[in-house]
Amino acid sequence: MKKSSLYFLLASLFSIIMIIVLRWQGKELIQPSTPSGILALEFANTPEKLSTVLSVWNKEMVRNNILLDFIFIAAYTWFFVVGVARSTAQWTHRFMQQLGAAGIRMAFLAAILDITENILMLQSINGYHSVSSLQLTWYCAAIKFMIVVILLLFMIATVIRRLIIRN
């Protein structure tokens, strides 16, 4: 097995394990008023929404979920860096290679946005928030998720191209 394949496998397993851990640990965050779990806090961009979300949650459980998310950030950043690098290496078109190089930088940007978002959410659950900080949390989450979708699409496009070339 090539080193890059092994790294990609390990990064994938690490990410999957962290998704399972976060879902298991945060299962009580899924309530009728917060069916999306921790996403409800990430996208609570007004004091009223924040109050509604926090009124049904155990603050310590939320804090622990956010702290675990810092480990997940490392996992998914590793996954995207290795996955996008492997995908980029399969393209011969200069534009796609440049897109892949930008994608690797975007993976790090997503991590920075997620770290910022987590710090802001920790402050919010402790009562230190403003309308601006809640909106910043929302923007960090939204941009992070857009980056993740773009990176996944790049990797999927690479796999589809590879399957088409093989046939």
Side-chain angles (χ1 to χ4, degrees):
M1 179 179 277
K2 290 168 62 174
K3 228 180 204 184
S4 65
S5 297
L6 177 61
Y7 290 154
F8 184 68
L9 176 64
L10 291 173
S12 300
L13 288 173
F14 186 26
S15 295
I16 291 168
I17 289 168
M18 285 310 303
I19 289 169
I20 292 167
V21 167
L22 282 166
R23 292 290 294 177
W24 174 78
Q25 188 279 332
K27 66 183 174 282
E28 291 181 31
L29 302 179
I30 298 172
Q31 302 286 328
S33 61
T34 58
S36 60
I38 196 70
L39 293 177
L41 180 59
E42 293 179 19
F43 291 103
N45 59 346
T46 66
E48 297 77 25
K49 289 179 184 176
L50 177 65
S51 178
T52 300
V53 168
L54 294 180
S55 70
V56 296
W57 286 351
N58 174 307
K59 188 169 132 179
E60 191 64 23
M61 181 166 292
V62 177
R63 187 181 74 76
N64 290 339
N65 193 265
I66 294 169
L67 293 176
L68 281 171
D69 191 52
F70 283 106
I71 300 169
F72 180 52
I73 294 168
Y76 78 70
T77 302
W78 185 28
F79 169 80
F80 282 122
V81 167
V82 174
V84 171
R86 284 176 47 96
S87 295
T88 303
Q90 295 179 32
W91 289 96
T92 56
H93 296 88
R94 183 161 170 77
F95 174 76
M96 294 304 285
Q97 291 174 343
Q98 290 173 334
L99 192 61
I104 292 170
R105 290 189 295 276
M106 288 171 62
F108 288 109
L109 176 57
I112 291 166
L113 290 167
D114 206 352
I115 290 167
T116 303
E117 169 197 317
N118 282 357
I119 291 168
L120 289 167
M121 288 192 303
L122 287 169
Q123 289 177 332
S124 292
I125 65 172
N126 288 317
Y128 303 106
H129 63 274
S130 64
V131 172
S132 296
S133 70
L134 295 175
Q135 290 174 347
L136 181 57
T137 306
W138 188 96
Y139 282 112
C140 286
I143 295 168
K144 170 195 69 180
F145 283 117
M146 285 190 288
I147 290 171
V148 165
V149 168
I150 290 167
L151 297 178
L152 286 171
L153 289 173
F154 182 77
M155 292 168 62
I156 291 168
T158 304
V159 170
I160 291 170
R161 178 182 172 269
R162 191 171 175 188
L163 290 173
I164 290 170
I165 289 174
R166 280 192 181 168
N167 293 330

